[in-house]
Amino acid sequence: MNPALQRVDGRQQLRREAVAIASATFAVTLAAIAGLWITSTASIKENYRHYLIGLAVTASHLVDPELHAAIHQPNQLNDASYLRAVEPLRRIRAGTPDVRHVYTMVRDAEKVRFVLDAADPGDKDGDGIEDQAGVWEVYQDREPAMLEALGTATTSGIAAATDRPFSDKWGAFMTGWAPLRDSDGRQYGAVGVDVDAAVYLARLQAARVWALLGLLPATLLTGVLTLGFFRIRLRYLLISQRAAQAAEALAIERERLSSIIDATHVGTWEMPLTTPTRDAQIVVDQHCAAMLGYAPHELNPLSLDRLASLFVHQEDRDAARAAFETALCREENLLEIVLRLRHAKGHWIWVEIRGRLLNRDAHGGPQRMVGTQMDVSARKATEIEFATSERRFRSLFELSPVGICLVDMQSGQFLQVNDSLVASTGYCREELLTRSYRELTPLRWETFEREQLSVLEHSTHFGTYEKEYQRKDGSCYPVLVSGTRLKDAAGRDLIWAIVQDISERKAMESKLADAARRDKLTGLVNRVVFMEELQAAVDRVRSGRQARLAVLFLDFDRFKLINDAMGHGAGDQLLKGIAARLQNTLRRSSRQGSVDRSVVARFGGDEFLVLLNDLDDCVAAERVANRLLEVLAQKYSVMDREIYSTASVGIVVSEQSCEDADSILRNADVAMYEAKRSGRACAVVFNETMRVQLTRSIMIETGLRRALGSNELSVVYQPIVDLDRGHTTSVEALVRWNHPELGPISPAEFIPVAEESGLIVPLGQWVLEQACRALARWRSRFPLTAPATMSVNISRAELAQGERLLARVRDALRDSGLPSDCLQLEVTEREVMRNPEVTKQLMLALRNMGVRLAMDDFGTGTSSLGCLRDYPFDVIKIDRAFIDDVPASADVMALIHATITLVKNLGKKSVAEGIERPEQLAVLQSLGCHYGQGYIFSKPVPEAELLARLANEPASDEAVDRALTRAVGSMPAVLQANS
């Protein structure tokens, strides 16, 4: 073929191939654009979904389950506990510009409620809606991804994110959710992170634009290749293929880098350099702009001067300028700096800027620099907080009042010591840092300390334990040690230890221990020391190392009276004087050889104890006791006044009791109380009879408490008879007790016990109520023969009740329905004279109630005749001690006759107690005594026997008159008038 035609055909063929290739390339380009559009959109959505889930999962790890569980009341919004719980979420929100809201939710039955919300209170965006959700506020929208994260009652939630923007009352967002789980893996809610949907759409649009721009070089290259195909097809076919591959790789790489940058939130910038350098313009991407709260078009281009003046913190400008100039000059061409930039909202953010100089001209001048910008506010805040914490720790370390040290665990050498530890050891800091703690530990403590530190083999903590350190001067002092083990950056085992000097505490403990063994007021040893000494003496006697011992138990008579009358200061002064006399007297006895190694102790109150060791004989204890009584009975000078106070002494010698210290002390106490019962101001030696009596007394007291209100107690009645007519005019109610184990117990035995134990008041009240009810029944059953009055004895304790006694008498009369003039209360002469004026006022009050009064045991006390005149007694009862001598003693008969005459002249009635023989009755009748009481008439009998006696008695004239009076009083008024 003609070469020219061949060239033409070749050109035509090339043109046809070029057209075909161009057409095919254009079609492929369109398909690639469409596929890349779809692929990039799906990829961005998936990457954004992972980004949202990552934010939510990160936030879920920062929520404290315990703080979160404590917040469930609306009024807890923004209180102290709420702020502590929401603080980590607010840091995420502040450190991530894209994030609009971070909050937590929980399921409440079918409802979803807010708990925490990191938004600031108020309406910051001006949309008319509160930015911050309330605690326990119900969330109305139902996004499927949110429900996936919350889970159900049977299934646990999973992390999820929205695949498209959704809207609620706070705006349009893309949201990621993650379940909240406690340390046991139990889900208790979900956390949500809202990112503004506009940011997502902007990124999606930007990615699509970048995708299109990425295809532009390929499209241009395709055009060039198509236009030049026919000329260079064969020569540059391989080159075109490689260029196409490079273009595709470049597009993929740009897309990958774009995705990485989007995921890491690292901004990029570019700066073409000019002369002068300050006129250079910086171009930032959307990430850099978003860090500062701007859009890229609001910043680009940005000159260095404008950047420094408007955005860089004043304190960082010089450092930034120096770093930039250094990067332009040095061979590495690198820029690295951390500084503060002003955010659009006015606050400062920390950023880390890195850059590299890419191009220089032929003269070495810089032409272009590119770099990255990363928000490091959270990291910087952590660093600042760590530095602050380090400064605080250092201050606490140096200023701590106790010793603190850091020790190498293997060598024991001190690595750090504070001033307190340095001061306590006597070394200077430099000297101490060259030593180990083992050098300061005395040899006797080494084994003990190894045992204490052995716990570090399986634990990180040891102590607290006590040991000793040796000072520089060789003296030892006690320390309290505790600590914890840790590793340093090099993996070396270290110990932080607290070494507290407890010398002062130990000295104080010693003083307190000594004080705890002595009576503070008198300086004598106390009961604890005395019991130790006594037990030691008992052991010596029982083992034969000591012949005998004796214990004196002293209780001072009338001390309470002195204390109450003159005050506690006077009582304390008296106790000091007593203690001094006891010590001085026993010292003199020791010098005279009658006693050796005596111990004097204050037992408590006005009770003292004396231990006598190595007595010559048993009588020696009594001689010492009598000597003490003699000395203690002498006058005391207290507050410039002379007072006297005797003592009652109980004595126990080892021949009688030597079981143990407690039993000896108990027996001495028994003997002391026997001395008080014997008249006080005397000494009594213990014997077993006293123990038996005490045991029985305790049984009686215990049984009496149980017997109150039970059928063990009963009331018997002894008639009081009119000596002229022989009629029963009154009865005296007397209590009797039949103990289930001890049998009948005499009132003479249990009444004193009741008085001492305070049971006499409830016992007397019970007798009063029983007696009033009994007479009320008798008056109803035997209106003509029932006694006119019921006599009930009143004790000293009941008299002391005052108004309460009046109230009880009033209640007993009211409850029984007994008229007040049918009740007669008997008070002994001795009790009347204990507190004459107060007793008189109480008797007048009883008399005003209509109650009759009788003086019991007249003639045995110390009352005067004025007492008979001034007190409102109706009856005077002559004690049986006088009646027993009738008619044998003419003097007694004269005294009784005078008493009866006096009582009669005062308008009162006389009653003779204890009449047992006919001749006594005849004499009393002849002397004009009104009434009599005694076994000659009847012993005290139960109610049934008394009623049988009353049924057989004829009615007295007085009883008939009383019955008529009651009958007339019960008639209607008209009948009374007619009668």
Side-chain angles (χ1 to χ4, degrees):
M1 181 178 290
N2 191 326
L5 293 175
Q6 188 175 7
R7 284 195 296 272
V8 170
D9 291 337
R11 289 175 181 175
Q12 290 177 349
Q13 180 65 26
L14 289 172
R15 289 190 185 100
R16 287 194 297 270
E17 289 180 3
V19 170
I21 290 172
S23 299
T25 302
F26 185 72
V28 170
T29 301
L30 289 177
I33 291 173
L36 186 59
W37 183 284
I38 295 170
T39 303
S40 63
T41 300
S43 177
I44 290 171
K45 286 184 178 180
E46 183 63 17
N47 289 339
Y48 210 76
R49 189 180 75 85
H50 286 296
Y51 164 64
L52 293 173
I53 290 175
L55 287 176
V57 171
T58 300
S60 70
H61 293 159
L62 299 178
V63 177
D64 188 323
E66 294 182 359
L67 292 176
H68 190 275
I71 298 171
H72 52 77
Q73 297 295 334
N75 59 8
Q76 290 181 280
L77 183 63
N78 293 320
D79 66 3
S81 60
Y82 185 96
L83 293 177
R84 288 198 304 274
V86 83
E87 177 60 24
L89 303 183
R90 286 185 169 170
R91 290 202 301 269
I92 291 179
R93 181 172 175 265
T96 310
D98 293 349
V99 175
R100 282 284 304 279
H101 297 284
V102 183
Y103 50 85
T104 64
M105 292 178 165
V106 296
R107 276 190 183 274
D108 182 18
E110 297 301 320
K111 297 178 181 179
V112 178
R113 297 183 182 273
F114 285 101
V115 179
L116 301 176
D117 189 346
D120 296 323
D123 183 14
K124 305 295 184 182
D125 52 10
D127 59 358
I129 297 175
E130 178 76 15
D131 293 345
Q132 187 180 30
V135 175
W136 226 242
E137 180 180 339
V138 177
Y139 186 62
Q140 302 295 341
D141 299 279
R142 289 290 192 272
E143 173 60 31
M146 175 188 72
L147 299 178
E148 286 184 56
L150 284 170
T152 66
T154 58
T155 62
S156 180
I158 60 174
T162 56
D163 57 357
R164 63 187 181 282
F166 79 98
S167 299
D168 58 19
K169 68 178 183 179
W170 285 284
F173 307 102
M174 294 289 288
T175 303
W177 281 282
L180 292 172
R181 293 184 172 89
D182 58 20
S183 58
D184 297 328
R186 291 191 294 269
Q187 182 174 355
Y188 61 91
V191 60
V193 180
D194 288 347
V195 175
D196 199 325
V199 176
Y200 166 76
L201 295 175
R203 292 184 179 179
L204 187 62
Q205 182 62 29
R208 289 170 175 171
V209 170
W210 280 105
L212 293 175
L213 292 177
L215 292 173
L216 183 58
T219 304
L220 294 176
L221 183 60
T222 301
V224 172
L225 290 174
T226 302
L227 292 174
F229 179 80
F230 67 95
R231 296 175 66 92
I232 57 176
R233 175 176 178 273
L234 296 176
R235 180 189 298 177
Y236 297 107
L237 180 60
L238 183 59
I239 297 175
S240 65
Q241 290 175 348
R242 291 177 179 174
Q245 292 173 356
E248 183 179 1
L250 178 62
I252 293 172
E253 184 64 20
R254 290 178 69 97
E255 182 178 354
R256 188 178 69 82
L257 291 176
S258 178
S259 299
I260 292 173
I261 291 173
D262 287 342
T264 58
H265 300 288
V266 175
T268 61
W269 52 269
E270 183 176 355
M271 181 171 60
L273 297 172
T274 61
T275 304
T277 305
R278 66 176 180 272
D279 294 333
Q281 302 289 319
I282 301 175
V283 179
V284 300
D285 69 351
Q286 71 271 21
H287 294 297
C288 285
M291 288 181 196
L292 301 177
Y294 296 97
H297 70 272
E298 296 179 285
L299 298 178
N300 293 329
L302 185 63
S303 68
L304 284 179
D305 282 348
R306 183 164 171 253
L307 174 65
S309 61
L310 296 182
F311 294 96
V312 179
H313 196 283
Q314 184 175 1
E315 297 177 0
D316 299 333
R317 290 173 188 170
D318 292 341
R321 188 177 296 110
F324 182 71
E325 292 174 353
T326 301
L328 296 180
C329 297
R330 66 185 184 182
E331 295 180 359
E332 293 85 356
N333 300 328
L334 295 177
L335 169 68
E336 293 183 1
I337 189 171
V338 177
L339 48 75
R340 287 163 287 185
L341 298 180
R342 187 189 299 277
H343 194 273
K345 294 183 179 180
H347 62 273
W348 297 94
I349 64 170
W350 285 92
V351 296
E352 182 180 62
I353 297 175
R354 294 175 178 267
R356 178 180 289 277
L357 188 64
L358 295 183
N359 302 106
R360 290 182 183 271
D361 58 20
H363 303 289
Q367 290 184 316
R368 180 166 170 264
M369 180 177 279
V370 297
T372 61
Q373 176 178 301
M374 182 168 61
D375 187 343
V376 294
S377 299
R379 187 188 77 191
K380 199 66 179 178
T382 301
E383 291 174 356
I384 293 172
E385 183 177 356
F386 178 78
T388 303
S389 176
E390 175 68 18
R391 287 194 299 272
R392 288 198 199 101
F393 171 77
R394 180 55 58 183
S395 298
L396 291 173
F397 177 76
E398 293 298 341
L399 299 176
S400 173
V402 299
I404 303 176
C405 60
L406 180 64
V407 178
D408 185 297
M409 184 172 172
Q410 184 174 2
S411 66
Q413 183 172 354
F414 292 109
L415 303 178
Q416 293 186 44
V417 291
N418 69 346
D419 292 343
S420 295
L421 183 58
V422 171
S424 66
T425 61
Y427 293 96
C428 67
R429 188 181 301 272
E430 291 73 19
E431 291 174 327
L432 197 56
L433 290 177
T434 63
R435 286 169 166 76
S436 73
Y437 73 87
R438 298 188 182 101
E439 295 179 61
L440 272 63
T441 302
L443 291 176
R444 63 181 178 275
W445 289 98
E446 286 185 357
T447 303
F448 171 77
E449 187 155 55
R450 278 198 301 271
E451 294 174 355
Q452 294 296 322
L453 294 180
S454 64
V455 300
L456 291 178
E457 297 175 1
H458 51 79
S459 174
T460 58
H461 300 279
F462 67 90
T464 302
Y465 63 88
E466 291 185 14
K467 57 172 285 188
E468 286 184 344
Y469 265 0
Q470 190 170 28
R471 296 188 181 94
K472 183 178 181 180
D473 61 8
S475 63
C476 293
Y477 67 101
V479 293
L480 196 64
V481 182
S482 63
T484 183
R485 185 191 66 186
L486 49 82
K487 288 182 179 291
D488 63 4
R492 181 175 55 168
D493 285 325
L494 304 178
I495 294 177
W496 273 113
I498 296 176
V499 183
Q500 182 179 358
D501 183 351
I502 56 174
S503 301
E504 293 184 1
R505 195 189 80 182
K506 284 293 186 181
M508 181 60 69
E509 287 177 355
S510 178
K511 291 180 180 178
L512 291 176
D514 183 66
R517 297 172 65 82
R518 288 198 172 271
D519 178 58
K520 185 177 180 181
L521 178 64
T522 62
L524 300 176
V525 297
N526 60 15
R527 176 180 179 176
V528 174
V529 178
F530 184 87
M531 295 301 289
E532 292 174 356
E533 293 287 340
L534 177 57
Q535 187 59 52
V538 169
D539 294 339
R540 290 194 300 270
V541 171
R542 292 172 67 89
S543 64
R545 290 174 291 145
Q546 179 173 318
R548 60 182 56 82
L549 64 85
V551 171
L552 310 184
F553 197 124
L554 295 85
D555 182 274
F556 285 82
D557 308 322
R558 300 175 63 248
F559 175 78
K560 185 177 185 305
L561 177 63
I562 297 171
N563 211 28
D564 294 342
M566 300 180 63
H568 292 287
D572 291 346
Q573 188 174 341
L574 176 59
L575 290 173
K576 291 179 182 179
I578 290 171
R581 291 188 184 185
L582 285 172
Q583 289 178 305
N584 293 334
T585 303
L586 289 170
R587 287 196 195 101
R588 287 196 298 271
S589 297
S590 178
R591 287 195 297 269
Q592 294 169 4
S594 60
V595 63
D596 188 22
R597 292 189 296 124
S598 61
V599 180
V600 185
R602 184 184 175 200
F603 189 70
D606 61 338
E607 296 177 332
F608 291 82
L609 295 168
V610 176
L611 170 62
L612 304 176
N613 288 303
D614 294 330
L615 295 171
D616 296 333
D617 50 48
C618 297
V619 181
E622 295 185 56
R623 289 197 298 268
V624 173
N626 291 330
R627 176 60 181 158
L628 290 175
L629 288 174
E630 179 184 348
V631 172
L632 295 172
Q634 297 172 13
K635 67 181 179 181
Y636 296 83
S637 178
V638 176
M639 292 186 174
D640 299 326
R641 294 178 60 182
E642 292 183 357
I643 62 173
Y644 293 87
S645 178
T646 58
S648 297
V649 183
I651 304 173
V652 173
V653 293
S654 52
E655 281 83 349
Q656 299 164 330
S657 174
C658 199
E659 297 88 356
D660 54 47
D662 288 330
S663 62
I664 292 175
L665 191 62
R666 186 167 55 249
N667 294 337
D669 191 18
V670 171
M672 182 272 292
Y673 276 104
E674 186 63 27
K676 282 189 174 294
R677 282 193 290 268
S678 300
R680 304 175 186 270
C682 64
V684 172
V685 179
F686 172 81
N687 58 55
E688 282 301 322
T689 304
M690 297 178 189
R691 191 203 302 271
V692 174
Q693 290 175 346
L694 177 63
T695 303
R696 181 175 175 85
S697 178
I698 293 173
M699 289 184 62
I700 288 174
E701 179 181 344
T702 303
L704 190 57
R705 292 182 185 277
R706 183 187 64 249
L708 282 172
S710 71
N711 57 4
E712 293 181 26
L713 294 175
S714 61
V715 178
V716 295
Y717 305 92
Q718 185 171 31
I720 299 174
V721 178
D722 186 325
L723 296 184
D724 290 335
R725 298 179 177 86
H727 297 295
T728 300
T729 61
S730 179
V731 292
E732 181 177 358
L734 301 168
V735 66
R736 293 293 183 266
W737 181 19
N738 187 17
H739 193 282
E741 297 176 9
L742 303 178
I745 300 177
S746 169
E749 186 176 7
F750 74 78
I751 292 297
V753 174
E755 290 176 339
E756 289 181 6
S757 62
L759 296 174
I760 193 64
V761 173
L763 180 62
Q765 177 67 18
W766 180 80
V767 173
L768 175 64
E769 293 171 354
Q770 296 295 318
C772 289
R773 293 193 188 104
L775 183 55
R777 290 194 302 271
W778 304 343
R779 285 165 56 86
S780 175
R781 184 175 176 185
F782 304 105
L784 296 180
T785 58
T789 59
M790 174 69 73
S791 289
V792 178
N793 291 285
I794 300 297
S795 66
R796 175 180 57 185
E798 291 175 284
L799 286 175
Q801 297 283 305
E803 291 295 331
R804 283 176 287 178
L805 174 62
L806 295 176
R808 283 201 293 269
V809 170
R810 207 165 15 243
D811 292 343
L813 293 172
R814 184 194 64 238
D815 295 343
S816 63
L818 186 69
S820 59
D821 61 351
C822 292
L823 176 62
Q824 179 172 285
L825 299 180
E826 296 187 6
V827 184
T828 65
E829 180 184 9
R830 184 178 293 104
E831 304 305 337
V832 170
M833 299 313 297
R834 285 185 183 274
N835 197 342
E837 189 58 35
V838 173
T839 305
K840 179 179 179 181
Q841 297 303 321
L842 178 61
M843 290 184 174
L844 290 173
L846 289 168
R847 198 69 184 86
N848 291 335
M849 290 173 54
V851 176
R852 296 170 59 82
L853 299 170
M855 177 184 280
D856 196 11
D857 299 340
F858 179 76
T860 61
T862 58
S863 62
S864 65
L865 296 178
C867 175
L868 299 179
R869 178 196 63 198
D870 298 334
Y871 284 75
F873 288 112
D874 299 286
V875 175
I876 305 300
K877 300 185 73 172
I878 303 171
D879 189 72
R880 67 179 302 153
F882 296 97
I883 308 303
D884 287 342
D885 292 331
V886 173
S889 174
D891 294 337
V892 170
M893 291 179 60
L895 183 59
I896 293 175
H897 182 254
T899 301
I900 293 172
T901 303
L902 176 61
V903 169
K904 186 180 300 183
N905 292 337
L906 291 173
K908 306 178 188 300
K909 301 295 184 181
S910 57
V911 176
E913 296 182 298
I915 304 175
E916 297 181 354
R917 301 191 301 274
E919 60 270 22
Q920 292 173 333
L921 175 59
V923 170
L924 290 170
Q925 287 175 329
S926 66
L927 294 177
C929 185
H930 298 106
Y931 305 104
Q933 179 180 359
Y935 277 23
I936 193 172
F937 304 113
S938 173
K939 64 180 181 180
V941 295
E943 180 178 354
E945 292 187 33
L946 179 66
L947 293 180
R949 172 190 174 94
L950 295 178
N952 296 325
E953 280 192 358
S956 65
D957 295 339
E958 292 84 352
V960 174
D961 292 340
R962 289 196 302 270
L964 290 174
T965 301
R966 289 199 299 271
V968 171
S970 63
M971 289 181 181
V974 175
L975 293 178
Q976 291 183 33
N978 291 336
S979 63

